[in-house]
Amino acid sequence: MSALQLCLIVSSLLFCVGLIGALARSNTILVLLGIELMLNAANLNFIAFWRYGPHPAAGTGMMFVLFSIAVAAAEAAVGLALIIAVHRHRQSVRLQEANSLKG
Amino acid sequence: MNLETLPLQFRDFIVGLFPTALQWLVHHVLTLTVILTVFGLFFAFTTIAERKLLARVQNRLGPNRAGLPWFRKLKLWGITQPFADAIKAITKEDIVPAAADKALHFLAPVLIVAFSLLGFAVLPFGRNLIPVELDAALLYFFAAGSATELAIFMAGWGSRNKYSLLSAMRALAQLISYELPLILSVVPVVMVCGTLSTKAIAVAQGGWTFGLLPHWHVFTPWGFAAFIIFLIATLAESNRSPFDLPEAESELIAGHLTEYSGFKYALFFMAEYFGLTALSGLGVTLFLGGWQAPCEFLQFIPSYLWFMIKLAGMIVFFIWVRGTLLRLRIDQLTRLSWKFLVPLALLNLGNGAFWALTTEWSGPLVLARWAISAAIVVVPFVLLGRCLTAGQAPRTYRYAA
Amino acid sequence: MIIALIIIALLILGAASAAMLSRNLIHSALLLVGAWAGIAAFYLWAGAEFVAFAQGLVYVGAVSMVVLFAVLLTRQGATRAPVEYDSIKRAVFAFIVAGGVAGILIGAIMGSPLEGRLPSPTPSVSVLQLGLLLMGPYAPALLIVGVLLTVALLGAIVIAAVDKPEDAP
């Protein structure tokens, strides 16, 4: 097993840990943290392939990860603002309670 | 025996005593030991200097009764006070509230000291004396500094005290508000020097006009404005007066540190001073020329001594400001940052870009360059000052008769 | 080198698992910050220094603050009541699904011929090259991300702001 495969396995396991958090918990903030973990696992993947890939000098992997970090931070900020707004109306942050459009 | 290369010779001698396989480890452990010792002593003398200088500003003597262990009559003007304070802090009882979150309450002082110390790794103390030479040194410094905010939250939350939490939130709001002007004021330096490496920035400020006027960044219009913004942001980032609302005694007791006693309180205190020293060191490197001497003939004084002299000068300036200016309220503080410092710092970015693009101007155009640069600083400052104080009457002072 | 990678990987996975499975929301957030710091350490191990410091500055320094403020503003931390699992059935299904995904991914990784290239000395892209890349081929992306961040900032403020006096908690 090469070092590249080890890095990819680590990032896959991290992705699955984030997936467990996003699926099993009913607190919206924890679901958002799980999604952030999944984004970070994808970034790990990019850096692993940049490190062991054919053209590390081109810096493509690093560029992608930089933009991914920026977009993930923006998404976390907007998501948490939404959670605060929903809490103000419903006094609850459980996912199951946000079902007024259900029908 | 060249004073300038004395530290390097000492390091090579010590590292040479060990087998080759371990030399990298000894090198780094030696660097760590020296930094911790030197800046630990610097912290101790900063505390006594602060108390003495503040006392003199307030027309009284400072602490002058701590003596030496076996020579009790010899008071030495109170210089041994920090060591007496250290013994007191270590031997005090450590009280932890029963309902406190034990893990967070314990980890907060440890983490804040650790993150405050991380900033020293990229400061160039002398001509070849930089602990870690990083290509992206400035980014590392700000990343390490922004992690201290987490420890403040942990302290406020872990104490399980409404007022500690409120004060921690206020401290965090202050820290986040002033991180922007801090980083924005540094960007023009990066633009003009073309590098993020602190070593290269210190080297780029070498050279003297007529052997007397140094080419430090603080002596350029954009550099002067950036340095002022950096000073204000440094005061706010280390919770020092006039921005010490989070830990002032008339506000919420000790703020987020209320439930800490003994050595943990001393650790928070240490972390505040280490943060101040690291930021001052960064200011010295970026704006005051780092280890460069001010005049050409003064180069016989070694470079690390120049760094220490400039660092001590900045710390004395901060102590002076503490004794002179009034404390700001939280809303005045955040308004100062968002409405005044951030627009000025952004305009200074444009100023720095103009300076970086016009390096080939020579002859009479040099005067135009300086004039335009100064105008970009002064005109918005005056305009913003007028706009922000528009509705308020001029301040009147009434002195005791 | 591989030993350092294994230690970093164990740190990241341990902190992330503890964060996802913890019952105290503040502890979850702080353990996740530890996981992010571990990921920054991984980037340093791989030689991507700039990305490591950017990860530290953005995630550990900023996103953690946003998460903690959100936790406090929605009164999640005020009580000592733990954040509970909704139902055991959902937790079991989540574990099964995640296990399935992990199995597929790891199977694909082990089955691919990824050892063709010899491990190189750690590559290093200098900050100057990154700057030239950002101002050259990636300049449109940089401008778009700048606009995106501004819009996200304004949107977050508008959404979370108090509209009417009776909205204030």
Side-chain angles (χ1 to χ4, degrees):
Chain A
M1 168 156 57
S2 67
L4 174 60
Q5 285 181 328
L6 191 55
C7 292
L8 294 179
I9 290 177
V10 168
S11 97
S12 313
L13 286 175
L14 189 65
F15 185 85
C16 296
V17 169
L19 192 61
I20 291 176
L23 289 179
R25 308 303 295 265
S26 63
N27 190 330
T28 326
I29 299 183
L30 271 174
V31 169
L32 217 128
L33 292 182
I35 296 176
E36 287 294 322
L37 261 188
M38 290 198 264
L39 273 167
N40 271 297
N43 288 345
L44 272 184
N45 232 346
F46 273 111
I47 293 289
F49 274 115
W50 168 79
R51 163 89 171 82
Y52 290 105
H55 301 293
T60 314
M62 289 178 78
M63 284 290 121
F64 209 106
V65 170
L66 278 176
F67 288 119
S68 167
I69 290 177
V71 173
E75 168 247 332
V78 174
L80 287 161
L82 279 171
I83 292 176
I84 293 177
V86 167
H87 171 82
R88 194 174 293 138
H89 284 278
R90 294 216 149 232
Q91 308 306 319
S92 151
V93 286
R94 293 187 70 235
L95 280 174
Q96 283 73 19
E97 312 252 341
N99 58 359
S100 53
L101 282 179
K102 184 174 174 178
Chain B
M1 173 81 83
N2 190 359
L3 270 180
E4 178 79 30
T5 55
L6 186 60
L8 294 170
Q9 287 173 341
F10 175 69
R11 181 195 74 197
D12 291 334
F13 166 69
I14 299 273
V15 168
L17 291 175
F18 287 83
T20 319
L22 285 180
Q23 276 184 353
W24 60 274
L25 184 65
V26 173
H27 178 122
H28 291 299
V29 168
L30 188 63
T31 313
L32 279 172
T33 316
V34 167
I35 289 184
L36 284 175
T37 317
V38 167
F39 285 100
L41 283 174
F42 194 82
F43 156 70
F45 287 107
T46 306
T47 52
I48 183 65
E50 166 150 23
R51 291 171 76 173
K52 287 289 221 184
L53 283 172
L54 272 180
R56 287 291 170 174
V57 164
Q58 293 162 0
N59 204 14
R60 57 182 170 93
L61 300 172
N64 58 357
R65 294 181 193 245
L68 293 171
W70 288 281
F71 304 98
R72 299 245 184 87
K73 290 282 175 70
L74 201 60
K75 296 295 178 184
L76 287 181
W77 305 286
I79 293 260
T80 52
Q81 180 75 26
F83 304 106
D85 278 339
I87 297 176
K88 176 197 79 172
I90 295 177
T91 53
K92 255 194 182 174
E93 181 190 355
D94 184 30
I95 303 175
V96 176
D101 200 333
K102 300 279 186 300
L104 291 183
H105 190 90
F106 177 78
L107 273 181
V110 172
L111 283 182
I112 199 171
V113 171
F115 287 126
S116 304
L117 280 173
L118 281 181
F120 285 103
V122 293
L123 295 179
F125 300 116
R127 197 175 300 267
N128 287 316
L129 291 172
I130 183 168
V132 178
E133 211 177 306
L134 284 175
D135 213 7
L138 269 181
L139 194 63
Y140 163 81
F141 189 92
F142 290 122
S146 62
T148 51
E149 304 168 4
L150 260 178
I152 293 184
F153 172 80
M154 285 166 67
W157 173 260
S159 307
R160 191 82 54 189
N161 179 344
K162 272 196 278 285
Y163 302 105
S164 289
L165 186 61
L166 192 56
S167 180
M169 289 293 120
R170 278 207 279 189
L172 277 176
Q174 176 181 319
L175 286 178
I176 297 174
S177 309
Y178 280 90
E179 227 180 284
L180 252 185
L182 188 71
I183 299 184
L184 280 177
S185 70
V186 164
V187 176
V189 177
V190 175
M191 263 201 287
V192 169
C193 291
T195 172
L196 278 176
S197 155
T198 45
K199 179 173 178 170
I201 293 177
V203 167
Q205 294 182 69
W208 296 268
T209 322
F210 312 129
L212 271 186
L213 300 171
H215 288 178
W216 298 349
H217 287 145
V218 73
F219 295 127
T220 59
W222 59 268
F224 187 70
F227 187 54
I228 301 288
I229 300 175
F230 184 86
L231 280 179
I232 301 176
T234 301
L235 278 175
E237 280 287 314
S238 23
N239 282 342
R240 273 185 78 84
S241 190
F243 301 104
D244 64 347
L245 197 78
E247 47 181 58
E249 262 147 40
S250 52
E251 310 270 338
L252 300 177
I253 313 168
H256 52 279
L257 311 174
T258 313
E259 302 286 350
Y260 284 94
S261 57
F263 195 55
K264 293 182 185 164
Y265 186 82
L267 280 179
F268 272 105
F269 204 60
M270 240 198 308
E272 178 187 318
Y273 278 90
F274 280 142
L276 182 72
T277 312
L279 273 171
S280 303
L282 188 71
V284 166
T285 309
L286 294 175
F287 297 104
L288 292 178
W291 44 260
Q292 307 269 9
C295 308
E296 198 152 5
F297 60 89
L298 283 175
Q299 277 187 307
F300 62 90
I301 300 180
S303 53
Y304 47 92
L305 274 186
W306 273 120
F307 186 88
M308 285 299 172
I309 290 171
K310 293 178 198 176
L311 189 62
M314 277 193 75
I315 301 268
V316 165
F317 176 75
F318 287 140
I319 296 174
W320 183 13
V321 165
R322 179 179 176 177
T324 312
L325 293 179
L326 302 169
R327 183 176 295 147
L328 288 176
R329 274 196 328 260
I330 187 79
D331 63 313
Q332 287 172 333
L333 195 149
T334 44
R335 190 166 57 124
L336 177 71
S337 163
W338 290 102
K339 288 197 189 173
F340 190 72
L341 290 180
V342 168
L344 274 184
L346 286 173
L347 280 169
N348 208 26
L349 266 185
N351 202 352
F354 166 76
W355 192 269
L357 286 174
T358 56
T359 37
E360 316 85 40
W361 287 13
S362 59
L365 282 180
V366 170
L367 276 171
R369 190 184 182 209
W370 283 72
I372 297 178
S373 202
I376 302 182
V377 169
V378 168
V379 170
F381 169 78
V382 169
L383 282 177
L384 265 178
R386 298 236 177 265
C387 291
L388 283 177
T389 54
Q392 297 163 10
R395 198 185 286 268
T396 57
Y397 293 97
R398 295 190 308 259
Y399 298 104
Chain C
M1 290 295 278
I2 300 289
I3 304 206
L5 174 65
I6 294 180
I7 296 176
I8 294 175
L10 286 174
L11 167 72
I12 298 174
L13 288 171
S17 322
M20 288 295 118
L21 302 173
S22 160
R23 292 156 78 85
N24 184 338
L25 195 49
I26 299 273
H27 286 180
S28 262
L30 290 171
L31 283 165
L32 198 64
V33 170
W36 285 331
I39 293 178
F42 173 86
Y43 294 155
L44 278 176
W45 173 88
E49 292 172 350
F50 192 83
V51 179
F53 301 145
Q55 161 98 4
L57 186 63
V58 170
Y59 273 107
V60 174
V63 177
S64 61
M65 286 293 114
V66 178
V67 169
L68 287 168
F69 267 93
V71 166
L72 287 175
L73 284 174
T74 52
R75 309 284 171 81
Q76 293 298 303
T79 62
R80 296 199 75 167
V83 180
E84 297 176 0
Y85 291 98
D86 193 29
S87 68
I88 297 293
K89 195 171 73 160
R90 210 156 144 247
V92 166
F93 270 132
F95 272 90
I96 294 178
V97 167
V101 170
I104 296 176
L105 284 172
I106 295 182
I109 292 168
M110 299 303 281
S112 315
L114 285 172
E115 338 190 9
R117 203 168 163 277
L118 292 169
S120 55
T122 311
S124 68
V125 179
S126 73
V127 176
L128 181 63
Q129 281 172 284
L130 275 177
L132 288 170
L133 276 176
L134 273 173
M135 289 290 140
Y138 293 94
L142 186 66
L143 291 170
I144 294 175
V145 164
V147 172
L148 176 93
L149 283 171
T150 312
V151 169
L153 166 72
L154 291 171
I157 293 176
V158 165
I159 293 175
V162 176
D163 297 321
K164 305 185 281 288
E166 58 263 21
D167 266 352

